[in-house]
């Protein structure tokens, strides 16, 4: 596409609560912030292993 | 839902429910912005008028943009519908297992920081140290309640955890002695103010701690203003050389230099740059969370200045990236391809369900920020979680729990925000801490802009 560039992103569409949520990832607040939650900067443990 | 914004010369379109990110030119930006509110004929007429002096824009070009938008809609990358909302409310029924504990090994501190949310480590109670027996039982409790979850996290927190270092060592030794038997992998974190760091602690932490969080607020005058020793002197000169030695010997393992900024240092990027000048590369800087009446509390007037600071930081980080000497800022770490799954994005940080804090005497709280608030006591490590009603409340405390979040583009990045912040700002864990939301949204915009910019850089 000439005027629209799409970045590669994880496809959330199609993910269900059954196929995602293994829960092996780090707990959000455990890492560095300690006073404000955000999940965006967490990495998927499954993706890391692959 | 989409979110369109311009930052650092980029036009960015976020498709909220697919997680897609598009970098577009001006014409596409204008068309996408109006796509859902006006018809094609109207948009076309407006564009031809607006771009009358642009020779690259004509009817054919506009049609092509409309075709591209259609294509992206079919691919479910633009104007994607929300398919998660109905499922989110089933969360109450989901089975959760506990996978992380924050062990308050010391409700006491060797610093007397004015802004401490834990009130100098005491959490509004008495000074106390966790015994090894309590710590050991906490490890057993975590294993018993973690079902098939292999990776378990334990954070040594306080107060100042190094004031109880012998017990920290004993707890780690115990956990390591049984993790194989139960097919678990413990990941320990130590959060410390650095005052009690010495060679023994450094060697131990670099061997056993998956991550260390080292508290430093930045420039000496900023740090010393609020982070004082018991005798009222600044702690900067005591801790900085120790942190430098610690990180030097860490051998590439995770660490964070973590600061807090307040109304006193709204120009907090200078503190982050100071951390970088000291040789640190993995950095985190958090807005102070405190009573709005405190003299160092952030104000509404600070907000535009803080937005500007986040932009300055993002641009400077891009410059450093290009020069081959990057720094990491916790809130700008975003992995678009390997980031969290939808379950995580909806369910949030896990406080009160997957993550709990343990007091020195073994009581359980939803997280470290609730410790000391008696009505949030969930139970204890001996009898287990007895306040199931509270667990259910936290289970439902997700991205879809707050009406205020309904039309927010950031909800699948923050999952509704921090329950403790919400409680302290509104009296309700399902409330909204607006100030935090504003900062969060700005940080996400900057973080995504950096991804767009870095992709541009990699193509050059």
């Amino acid at each position: 596409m000439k005027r629209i560039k799409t970045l590669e992103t994880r496809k959330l569409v199609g993910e269900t609560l059954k196929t995602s949520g293994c829960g092996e990832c780090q707990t959000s607040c455990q890492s560095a912030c300690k006073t404000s939650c955000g999940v965006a900067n967490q990495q998927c443990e499954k993706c890391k292993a692959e | 839902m989409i979110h369109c914004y311009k930052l650092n010369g980029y036009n960015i379109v976020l498709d909220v429910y697919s997680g897609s990110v598009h970098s577009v030119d001006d014409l596409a930006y204008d068309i996408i912005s109006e796509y859902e509110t006006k018809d094609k004929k109207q948009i076309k007429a407006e564009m031809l008028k607006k771009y009358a002096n642009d020779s690259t824009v004509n009817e054919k070009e506009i049609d092509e943009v409309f075709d591209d938008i259609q294509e992206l809609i079919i691919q479910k990358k633009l104007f994607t519908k929300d398919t998660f909302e109905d499922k989110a409310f089933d969360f109450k029924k989901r089975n959760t297992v506990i996978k992380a504990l924050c062990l308050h090994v010391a409700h006491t501190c060797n610093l007397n920081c004015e802004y401490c949310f834990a009130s100098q480590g005491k959490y509004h109670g008495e000074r106390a140290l966790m015994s090894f027996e309590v710590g050991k039982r906490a490890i057993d409790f975590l294993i018993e309640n973690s079902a098939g979850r292999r990776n378990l996290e334990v954070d040594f927190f306080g107060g100042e955890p190094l004031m109880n270092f012998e017990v920290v060592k004993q707890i780690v030794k115990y956990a390591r002695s049984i993790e194989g038997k139960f097919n678990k992998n413990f990941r320990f974190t130590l959060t410390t103010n650095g005052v009690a760091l010495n060679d023994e602690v450094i060697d131990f932490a670099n061997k056993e701690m998956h991550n260390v969080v080292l508290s430093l607020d930045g420039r000496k005058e900023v740090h010393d203003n609020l982070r004082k020793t018991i005798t009222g002197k600044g702690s900067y000169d005591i801790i900085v050389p120790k942190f430098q030695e610690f990180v030097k010997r860490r051998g590439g393992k995770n660490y964070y230099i973590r600061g807090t900024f307040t109304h006193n240092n709204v120009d907090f990027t200078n503190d982050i740059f100071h951390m970088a000048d000291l040789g640190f590369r993995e950095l985190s800087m958090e807005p102070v969370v405190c009573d709005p009446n405190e003299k160092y509390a952030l104000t509404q007037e600070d907000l535009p200045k803080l937005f500007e600071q986040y932009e300055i930081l993002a641009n400077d980080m891009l410059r450093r990236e290009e020069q081959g000497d990057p720094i990491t800022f916790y809130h700008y770490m975003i992995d678009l391809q390997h980031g969290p799954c939808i379950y995580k994005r909806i369910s949030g940080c896990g406080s009160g369900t997957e993550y709990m804090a343990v007091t020195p005497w073994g009581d359980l709280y939803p997280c470290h920020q609730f410790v000391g608030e008696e009505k949030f006591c969930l139970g204890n490590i001996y009898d287990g979680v007895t306040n199931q009603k509270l667990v259910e409340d936290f289970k439902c405390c997700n991205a879809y729990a707050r009406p205020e979040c309904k039309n927010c583009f950031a909800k699948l990045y923050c999952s509704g925000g921090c329950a403790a912040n919400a409680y302290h700002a509104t009296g309700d864990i399902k409330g909204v801490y607006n100030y935090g939301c504003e900062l969060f949204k700005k940080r996400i915009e900057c973080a995504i802009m950096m991804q767009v910019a870095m992709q541009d850089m990699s193509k050059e």
Side-chain angles (χ1 to χ4, degrees):
Chain A
M1 290 177 190
K2 203 160 76 185
R3 294 175 184 271
I4 303 175
K5 292 187 187 93
T6 302
L7 276 71
E8 281 293 320
T9 52
R10 180 175 183 136
K11 289 190 185 82
L12 299 181
V13 181
E15 282 189 4
T16 67
L17 300 183
K18 279 182 187 160
T19 59
S20 70
C22 72
E24 292 290 353
C25 54
Q26 193 179 29
T27 310
S28 317
C29 210
Q30 197 80 340
S31 40
C33 59
K34 287 287 175 202
T35 48
S36 62
C37 162
V39 296
N41 43 15
Q42 301 294 302
Q43 262 204 319
C44 170
E45 199 76 29
K46 258 190 187 173
C47 299
K48 259 200 274 186
E50 279 164 11
Chain B
M1 191 201 316
I2 58 162
H3 176 61
C4 305
Y5 67 101
K6 290 173 185 265
L7 188 57
N8 197 25
Y10 293 100
N11 301 329
I12 297 169
V13 178
L14 305 182
D15 188 48
V16 173
Y17 297 113
S18 68
S20 299
V21 177
H22 310 281
S23 171
V24 305
D25 75 355
D26 288 339
L27 177 68
Y29 186 86
D30 288 340
I31 295 175
I32 291 170
S33 299
E34 300 196 331
Y35 191 84
E36 286 194 307
T37 53
K38 294 176 182 170
D39 66 29
K40 185 175 176 181
K41 202 174 152 189
Q42 200 180 354
I43 295 173
K44 223 170 166 178
E46 276 182 25
M47 294 303 124
L48 287 169
K49 195 174 165 192
K50 182 172 179 180
Y51 292 92
N53 296 325
D54 185 339
S55 61
T56 69
V57 177
N58 53 39
E59 276 206 50
K60 188 171 165 276
E61 284 289 323
I62 295 172
D63 281 337
E64 270 183 33
V65 174
F66 271 93
D67 289 347
D68 290 345
I69 292 172
Q70 267 305 314
E71 178 63 30
L72 289 170
I73 292 172
I74 291 166
Q75 290 176 13
K76 290 193 167 53
K77 289 183 174 175
L78 197 58
F79 300 114
T80 310
K81 301 287 174 223
D82 184 359
T83 55
F84 310 122
E85 186 171 8
D86 294 342
K87 292 164 191 157
F89 291 98
D90 289 338
F91 268 38
K92 199 171 172 179
K93 296 177 207 150
R94 74 196 153 114
N95 287 319
T96 51
V97 299
I98 301 170
K99 66 177 187 181
L101 289 181
C102 181
L103 298 188
H104 290 224
V105 290
H107 271 196
T108 184
C109 194
N110 45 14
L111 285 184
N112 191 20
C113 306
E114 212 172 311
Y115 55 37
C116 182
F117 76 87
S119 58
Q120 289 68 49
K122 303 191 295 290
Y123 290 84
H124 314 288
E126 297 294 315
R127 293 187 188 279
L129 296 177
M130 182 179 281
S131 66
F132 170 59
E133 287 66 34
V134 170
K136 179 174 178 285
R137 175 61 206 144
I139 294 293
D140 290 339
F141 169 83
L142 180 55
I143 289 175
E144 286 162 15
N145 288 277
S146 59
R149 202 64 48 91
R150 177 168 152 72
N151 294 316
L152 302 180
E153 296 159 48
V154 174
D155 187 8
F156 294 104
F157 201 63
E160 171 50 43
L162 292 184
M163 293 188 78
N164 200 7
F165 181 52
E166 287 307 312
V167 168
V168 170
K169 285 195 295 186
Q170 287 175 304
I171 294 171
V172 169
K173 191 176 173 190
Y174 175 67
R176 291 280 182 240
S177 74
I178 58 170
E179 65 183 348
K181 179 178 158 194
F182 291 100
N183 190 28
K184 303 292 180 187
N185 175 42
F186 278 100
R187 288 173 177 166
F188 296 106
T189 298
L190 174 73
T191 300
T192 178
N193 63 29
V195 172
L197 278 180
N198 57 29
D199 280 346
E200 188 198 355
V201 176
I202 290 174
D203 287 342
F204 172 80
N206 285 345
K207 178 170 177 272
E208 295 290 359
M209 297 294 147
H210 178 71
N211 190 16
V212 290
V213 181
L214 312 173
S215 302
L216 170 70
D217 282 354
R219 291 164 290 182
K220 177 174 162 62
E221 63 274 21
V222 170
H223 181 93
D224 283 350
N225 187 34
L226 290 169
R227 299 187 66 83
K228 291 178 176 150
T229 64
I230 305 301
T231 57
K233 289 182 184 161
S235 58
Y236 179 96
D237 289 336
I238 302 169
I239 61 156
V240 166
K242 294 183 182 191
F243 284 167
Q244 286 172 316
E245 181 64 16
F246 196 171
V247 168
K248 195 171 92 187
R249 282 158 57 181
R250 191 126 178 88
K253 283 177 107 173
N254 291 343
Y255 74 91
Y256 272 102
I257 296 289
R258 185 234 187 259
T260 298
F261 67 84
T262 71
H263 178 67
N264 299 341
N265 60 319
V266 172
D267 63 336
F268 69 87
T269 52
N270 288 319
D271 294 292
I272 294 177
F273 300 151
H274 180 75
M275 293 170 179
D277 291 343
L278 291 171
F280 303 120
R281 291 292 174 268
E282 296 184 33
L283 313 173
S284 163
M285 184 61 109
E286 297 294 322
V288 69
V289 176
C290 66
D291 186 323
N293 296 318
E294 294 287 357
K295 60 182 184 298
Y296 49 80
L298 294 164
T299 66
Q300 282 302 319
E301 290 71 40
D302 291 337
L303 210 47
K305 296 176 200 162
L306 298 177
F307 291 163
E308 192 188 359
Q309 290 290 304
Y310 281 122
E311 288 186 22
I312 290 170
L313 176 61
N315 283 323
D316 191 75
M317 286 177 65
L318 288 170
R319 180 187 65 78
R320 288 171 193 264
E321 183 80 32
E322 210 161 19
Q323 290 179 347
D325 188 18
I327 58 172
T328 301
F329 177 58
Y330 176 70
H331 287 291
Y332 288 173
M333 281 169 59
I334 188 161
D335 187 337
L336 294 175
Q337 285 174 269
H338 310 107
C341 61
I342 192 63
Y343 176 93
K344 174 94 172 179
R345 285 169 186 258
I346 293 174
S347 60
C349 72
S351 62
T353 55
E354 298 176 326
Y355 169 63
M356 291 175 193
V358 185
T359 66
W361 47 93
D363 282 346
L364 293 164
Y365 284 85
C367 88
H368 51 286
Q369 290 189 88
F370 286 104
V371 170
E373 304 268 0
E374 283 306 311
K375 66 176 179 175
F376 284 100
C377 185
L378 291 163
N380 62 62
I381 52 173
Y382 303 99
D383 304 320
V385 175
T386 47
N387 192 344
Q388 286 300 335
K389 161 81 177 62
L390 197 53
V391 172
E392 284 183 14
D393 285 348
F394 274 86
K395 270 186 189 178
C396 293
C397 196
N398 61 48
Y400 287 91
R402 300 165 174 89
E404 295 91 335
C405 303
K406 187 170 174 59
N407 297 315
C408 178
F409 80 89
K411 67 181 170 189
L412 294 182
Y413 295 97
C414 80
S415 49
C418 168
N421 285 354
Y423 174 70
H424 292 123
T426 69
D428 182 358
I429 59 168
K430 290 181 192 154
V432 167
Y433 173 46
N434 278 316
Y435 202 93
C437 292
E438 292 305 314
L439 295 180
F440 188 91
K441 285 188 277 189
K442 186 67 191 177
R443 291 194 298 253
I444 283 295
E445 286 188 342
C446 288
I448 289 174
M449 179 278 288
M450 287 179 67
Q451 292 295 315
V452 171
M454 282 196 276
Q455 193 165 80
D456 251 16
M457 273 191 234
S458 66
K459 281 180 187 159
E460 281 166 10

